[in-house]
Amino acid sequence: KQEVTQIPAALSVPEGENLVLNCSFTDSAIYNLQWFRQDPGKGLTSLLLIQSSQREQTSGRLNASLDKSSGRSTLYIAASQPGDSATYLCAVSSPDSNYQLIWGAGTKLIIKP
Amino acid sequence: ETGVTQSPTHLIKTRGQQVTLRCSSQSGHNTVSWYQQALGQGPQFIFQYYREEENGRGNFPPRFSGLQFPNYSSELNVNALELDDSALYLCASSPRRNLQSLEQYFGPGTRLTVT
């Protein structure tokens, strides 16, 4: 059964720093992996999608990598800003879950001005 | 283009009661998924509707049921509420039958508290 873990549960860094959020999953037979951002009262927003055949995806200051063999993904945020403060969740879709998303519990990120 | 909307924003119910939550999908989207997110946890998939028919279900008991209407809006009904049903309920719409969980656009959620 697929399980997704995100460490740390919370992270606080000064503005301007580069940072890495981690996501691990137990079954490497995934279809895709997605990173989402959750803001209070605003639902979830998809940030990056990595298909199983891809190694990384980039969008602006965000870069997500995928290593299926080790069951890990990282979300790299460059030059962090206070507006990046949110909870970041990763989710995987796999045959094991009938392609529905299995989610991590998220990392709550606080960027200090 | 209007995004996904949900109503109500917040709701307080008593154990044993029934509740109906509503979701209006984004224009042009024919698939709606519902998720339950307990505090401090990631969302858990409840079920998905495609063109008014259930198109997949997660590990939730039958007292969780749903409907999708011809305009692709949707309802989530929960009977015999339990304290553990307290959570944020999210709906997400997609432009096509979503076997790969791609292109989901989420609403802001309904916060349900069961006392």
Side-chain angles (χ1 to χ4, degrees):
Chain A
K1 177 186 173 186
Q2 182 72 268
E3 294 182 1
V4 179
T5 303
Q6 292 185 251
I7 295 173
L11 182 63
S12 180
V13 301
E15 179 180 4
E17 282 199 2
N18 303 325
L19 59 99
V20 174
L21 305 181
N22 297 296
C23 172
S24 61
F25 46 93
T26 54
D27 185 350
S28 62
I30 65 169
Y31 199 81
N32 60 61
L33 182 144
Q34 299 184 57
W35 281 93
F36 291 83
R37 169 181 174 144
Q38 186 169 30
D39 294 277
K42 294 187 178 179
L44 288 150
T45 302
S46 179
L47 298 172
L48 289 165
L49 163 70
I50 310 178
Q51 299 282 11
S52 62
S53 59
Q54 299 174 321
R55 295 298 300 268
E56 66 176 347
Q57 284 287 335
T58 298
S59 176
R61 294 183 293 110
L62 305 180
N63 176 275
S65 68
L66 173 64
D67 183 345
K68 282 199 308 178
S69 61
S70 66
R72 299 167 83 170
S73 175
T74 61
L75 178 66
Y76 175 82
I77 302 177
S80 59
Q81 304 170 358
D84 295 331
S85 298
T87 297
Y88 291 81
L89 297 103
C90 72
V92 301
S93 170
S94 63
D96 177 35
S97 64
N98 199 26
Y99 301 104
Q100 296 303 330
L101 291 174
I102 303 298
W103 299 75
T107 294
K108 184 174 183 178
L109 177 63
I110 296 174
I111 306 299
K112 298 175 289 186
Chain B
E1 185 177 85
T2 305
V4 179
T5 61
Q6 293 186 243
S7 63
T9 305
H10 296 90
L11 198 54
I12 300 175
K13 288 286 189 178
T14 303
R15 189 171 51 183
Q17 287 187 317
Q18 178 266 344
V19 68
T20 297
L21 309 181
R22 295 179 174 82
C23 172
S24 291
S25 57
Q26 191 162 317
S27 177
H29 289 190
N30 56 24
T31 302
V32 173
S33 301
W34 285 92
Y35 294 86
Q36 180 195 66
Q37 186 178 21
L39 197 62
Q41 302 296 319
Q44 289 196 341
F45 173 70
I46 302 175
F47 43 57
Q48 181 181 96
Y49 278 83
Y50 168 71
R51 293 183 179 267
E52 302 180 60
E53 294 200 357
E54 191 176 287
N55 182 45
R57 188 180 181 92
N59 190 27
F60 280 80
R63 60 189 185 85
F64 286 78
S65 63
L67 282 173
Q68 187 178 31
F69 300 100
N71 67 355
Y72 303 133
S73 66
S74 178
E75 287 183 352
L76 164 65
N77 299 289
V78 187
N79 294 322
L81 284 167
E82 301 177 359
L83 297 179
D84 285 350
D85 295 334
S86 295
L88 180 68
Y89 288 84
L90 297 161
C91 85
S93 72
S94 307
R96 61 187 62 83
R97 187 174 182 176
N98 209 346
L99 297 179
Q100 302 172 21
S101 297
L102 300 176
E103 290 191 85
Q104 294 193 73
Y105 297 84
F106 284 82
T110 293
R111 173 72 64 185
L112 173 65
T113 302
V114 182
T115 63

